[in-house]
Amino acid sequence: MSSKPSIPKGTRDFSTEEMQRREYIFDTIRQVFRLYGYQPIETPALENLSTLLGKYGDEGDKLLFRILNSGDYLSDVSMEELLKRDSGKLSSRICEKGLRYDLTVPFARYVVQHRDEIVFPFKRYQIQPVWRADRPQKGRYREFFQCDVDVIGSDSLLNEYELVRIIDDIFSRLHISIITKINNRKILSGIAEYIGEGSRITDITVAIDKLDKIGIDSVNAELREKGVSIEAINKLQPLLSFKGDSDEKLSKLEELLSLSVTGLKGIAEVRTLFSYLGQAEMKGKVELDLTLARGLNYYTGAIIEVKSTDVSIGSICGGGRYDNLAGVFGMEGVSGVGVSFGADRIYDVLKQLDLFDDTSISSSEVLIVNFGESETSYALSVIELLRKLSIRSELYPDPVKLKKQISYADSKKIPFLIIAGADEIQNNCVTIKNMTSGDQEKVSLNELRSYAEKNFKISR
RNA sequence: GUGGAUGUAGUUCAGUCGGUUAGAACGUCGGAUUGUGGUUCCGAAGGUCGUGGGUUCGAAUCCCAUCUUCCACCCCA
């Protein structure tokens, strides 16, 4: 009966080592968010399904984890409904809550719900797990952490600029080289208008989003399958094969889309954004990518996606501007823009590139050897002193063999050992062993404080 | 949700055609060394062969189901 315990598919335990690395990622991201003036909020893991459903398209609705009502959840369901076995309908009768699917929709809900308390423009960040009932793969989990930054209540393109700047700042601090791809939903609308298929923008963008992956012929085949006319597809071809830098692409676009008000507006927005970015000292590359569409149907302006140049793992950060999201919750005319960092994928990238600095992940700076009852009070006075100096220290809890205590320090990468046995106590000193070099020296209690301040790392 | 691969000690992996007691390396633990780790030497422990059924005199090996992980779609961080 006692089978090994396990955790649900696509979820993970994080070891102490992994957590220290993850916290390094979260800390880096959080520091940068704060540096740019964003403030944290949190929202519940559970949302009402009415908040979540219909915001991510049909596909998204399928991937929502639904939570069974508590108590006698079938009490209101008739036998007739049960016998119909319509699981879609039935689930809406017996589930009224779901796990959040991303942080943007709960944020929109938060903004609408707290509109009277919020000072606009509202700059917030949010670092929390989200859940998707997706089939797991590498870099794809059912529970994963997103780190969102958004500013809501401002139309200014300075916000887009700021987000791209944050992206560059974070990834350069993490030493990940990236390419930030930028597009604009208005340009995509313009293109759809230009080829005479204005109403099919979603089908068109989803298809051309795959250009990189499946090639131009397959994209055209998919468009035809979706019912886009051959004439329109032919008209689209030159746009898909634009060459040159972002400026050149924009100029060519401007000619082609000269009759589309929306398209021209998108071009102007991208131009402005690139002119801001031109003044910044950026580490990573930024480019206009007309094939960047992204699935989410709420983007209305800028679309942003970040990829690692060294590891292929899908996007590690993505986002854009959404004018209508708060409108879904009854608050019109409030525009927002934001991006989301995928902490778990960033972890995978750092891991694969061997970029974690594991030298700083020891639990303690100093281990004090435990010799037994009669030496304990001496050891305790030493550890009190060290901790007062903000030096991470631990006393080995059991008086086991010295060999064992030293190998404990070794395997936990603790850099210093303090040995205080009968000899040291008699001479009012301690023996300090440097675990890296193997050297050891005697230091008197009087000098311990200055020795510690000089040689031991102080924890923040 | 569709299609395909995978699973053997804590870890990475061997395991012949279905045949006796399932092996190795690393790691762990003990000893050589009663106050000195990371090197060396000696020794030991550790397995329901993912799980459940089936075929067979006999199954890690063949068949079915199921779960996990991974891959390609779909979609996405």
Side-chain angles (χ1 to χ4, degrees):
Chain A
M1 244 359 344
S2 67
S3 57
K4 267 188 192 167
S6 64
I7 54 176
K9 189 203 299 208
T11 64
R12 296 148 300 154
D13 287 326
F14 299 115
S15 67
T16 56
E17 193 182 44
E18 287 168 320
M19 275 317 292
Q20 288 182 82
R21 294 168 169 175
R22 287 171 66 83
E23 280 178 357
Y24 158 69
I25 295 172
F26 291 131
D27 288 348
T28 305
I29 290 173
R30 202 174 351 247
Q31 274 167 24
V32 174
F33 287 171
R34 287 228 156 104
L35 181 64
Y36 286 76
Y38 291 76
Q39 291 184 300
I41 67 161
E42 288 201 357
T43 62
L46 281 55
E47 290 279 352
N48 292 324
L49 274 178
S50 56
T51 302
L52 266 16
L53 284 170
K55 309 300 188 300
Y56 309 104
D58 291 345
E59 195 66 33
D61 285 356
K62 272 187 221 156
L63 298 180
L64 278 172
F65 277 108
R66 290 149 202 257
I67 293 169
L68 204 53
N69 292 345
S70 29
D72 183 7
Y73 52 85
L74 285 179
S75 62
D76 287 344
V77 183
S78 69
M79 190 54 83
E80 195 187 340
E81 282 172 287
L82 281 176
L83 288 172
K84 270 190 199 155
R85 307 183 71 85
D86 182 340
S87 39
K89 269 211 180 108
L90 194 58
S91 88
S92 65
R93 299 274 278 115
I94 62 180
C95 304
E96 52 190 26
K97 298 174 289 300
L99 293 175
R100 68 168 163 253
Y101 179 90
D102 72 356
L103 300 177
T104 307
V105 167
F107 175 52
R109 191 224 82 222
Y110 177 97
V111 167
V112 174
Q113 203 175 321
H114 299 273
R115 59 210 289 177
D116 298 332
E117 310 153 24
I118 293 172
V119 177
F120 293 96
F122 182 37
K123 302 173 71 168
R124 76 87 227 227
Y125 71 84
Q126 189 172 353
I127 298 177
Q128 289 190 276
V130 303
W131 293 269
R132 295 182 189 177
D134 209 348
R135 184 175 288 206
Q137 278 178 40
K138 194 164 203 76
R140 174 177 301 198
Y141 308 99
R142 289 185 143 184
E143 177 186 62
F144 60 97
F145 278 71
Q146 292 193 325
C147 313
D148 274 36
V149 249
D150 293 77
V151 42
I152 195 160
S154 162
D155 292 332
S156 169
L157 290 164
L158 283 172
N159 299 307
E160 275 85 339
Y161 159 77
E162 187 167 277
L163 291 171
V164 176
R165 205 65 200 74
I166 285 175
I167 289 168
D168 195 70
D169 211 340
I170 285 175
F171 287 112
S172 81
R173 286 177 193 220
L174 293 171
H175 308 291
I176 296 176
S177 54
I178 50 154
I179 178 154
T180 304
K181 297 182 173 190
I182 290 176
N183 198 3
N184 193 296
R185 188 62 169 253
K186 295 189 179 85
I187 293 180
L188 294 171
S189 301
I191 291 173
E193 267 176 51
Y194 162 73
I195 65 170
E197 296 276 2
S199 58
R200 295 208 123 86
I201 176 162
T202 310
D203 288 342
I204 294 169
T205 53
V206 166
I208 65 176
D209 189 35
K210 295 178 195 160
L211 187 61
D212 266 5
K213 219 169 173 180
I214 62 178
I216 194 158
D217 293 337
S218 309
V219 167
N220 290 337
E222 184 167 330
L223 286 170
R224 217 164 299 152
E225 211 175 290
K226 290 267 167 66
V228 178
S229 74
I230 291 178
E231 195 187 20
I233 293 174
N234 288 337
K235 235 175 155 182
L236 183 66
Q237 298 312 299
L239 286 151
L240 295 181
S241 50
F242 265 2
K243 293 273 168 357
D245 64 21
S246 303
D247 277 342
E248 289 166 3
K249 284 182 191 168
L250 284 169
S251 303
K252 285 186 209 161
L253 260 184
E254 202 163 27
E255 287 170 32
L256 286 175
L257 303 186
S258 58
L259 293 177
S260 164
V261 179
T262 313
L264 290 177
K265 197 165 176 220
I267 293 167
E269 286 183 13
V270 173
R271 278 230 167 93
T272 306
L273 175 54
F274 273 88
S275 80
Y276 292 150
L277 290 171
Q279 298 173 32
E281 277 178 43
M282 307 267 287
K283 296 260 169 55
K285 282 183 224 144
V286 181
E287 71 169 31
L288 174 65
D289 182 353
L290 294 173
T291 70
L292 174 63
R294 296 184 57 81
L296 294 175
N297 31 27
Y298 48 68
Y299 292 126
T300 52
I303 305 171
I304 300 166
E305 181 171 282
V306 180
K307 291 195 160 181
S308 154
T309 57
D310 303 316
V311 177
S312 107
I313 195 169
S315 62
I316 50 179
C317 176
R321 180 171 285 276
Y322 40 89
D323 288 335
N324 309 322
L325 192 64
V328 178
F329 299 113
M331 186 171 171
E332 302 292 339
V334 184
S335 181
V337 58
V339 293
S340 177
F341 292 78
D344 304 83
R345 285 189 178 173
I346 292 171
Y347 182 98
D348 291 342
V349 169
L350 287 170
K351 185 86 214 291
Q352 203 162 323
L353 296 177
D354 201 20
L355 286 175
F356 284 112
D357 175 17
D358 285 347
T359 57
S360 60
I361 66 171
S362 67
S363 58
S364 295
E365 180 74 359
V366 180
L367 175 75
I368 301 178
V369 172
N370 186 328
F371 278 101
E373 203 53 48
S374 49
E375 289 87 352
T376 294
S377 76
Y378 193 82
L380 286 177
S381 67
V382 172
I383 204 167
E384 284 291 329
L385 170 68
L386 293 176
R387 287 181 180 152
K388 219 172 270 173
L389 297 173
S390 289
I391 292 158
R392 291 169 303 136
S393 339
E394 58 188 291
L395 170 63
Y396 197 89
D398 305 297
V400 297
K401 280 185 190 164
L402 185 53
K403 176 188 166 111
K404 186 163 170 106
Q405 300 193 39
I406 296 183
S407 65
Y408 169 85
D410 186 48
S411 57
K412 289 196 76 182
K413 299 190 169 85
I414 295 174
F416 293 97
L417 198 69
I418 287 186
I419 300 168
D423 294 352
E424 285 85 356
I425 294 175
Q426 200 163 22
N427 296 310
N428 254 330
C429 68
V430 294
T431 298
I432 297 176
K433 182 181 178 79
N434 180 325
M435 291 292 288
T436 320
S437 64
D439 300 340
Q440 54 188 64
E441 58 184 306
K442 290 213 158 128
V443 175
S444 78
L445 279 191
N446 297 333
E447 297 161 10
L448 182 58
R449 186 196 172 104
S450 59
Y451 181 95
E453 283 171 341
K454 201 184 296 169
N455 295 288
F456 297 158
K457 203 189 286 172
I458 312 277
S459 75
R460 285 179 291 124

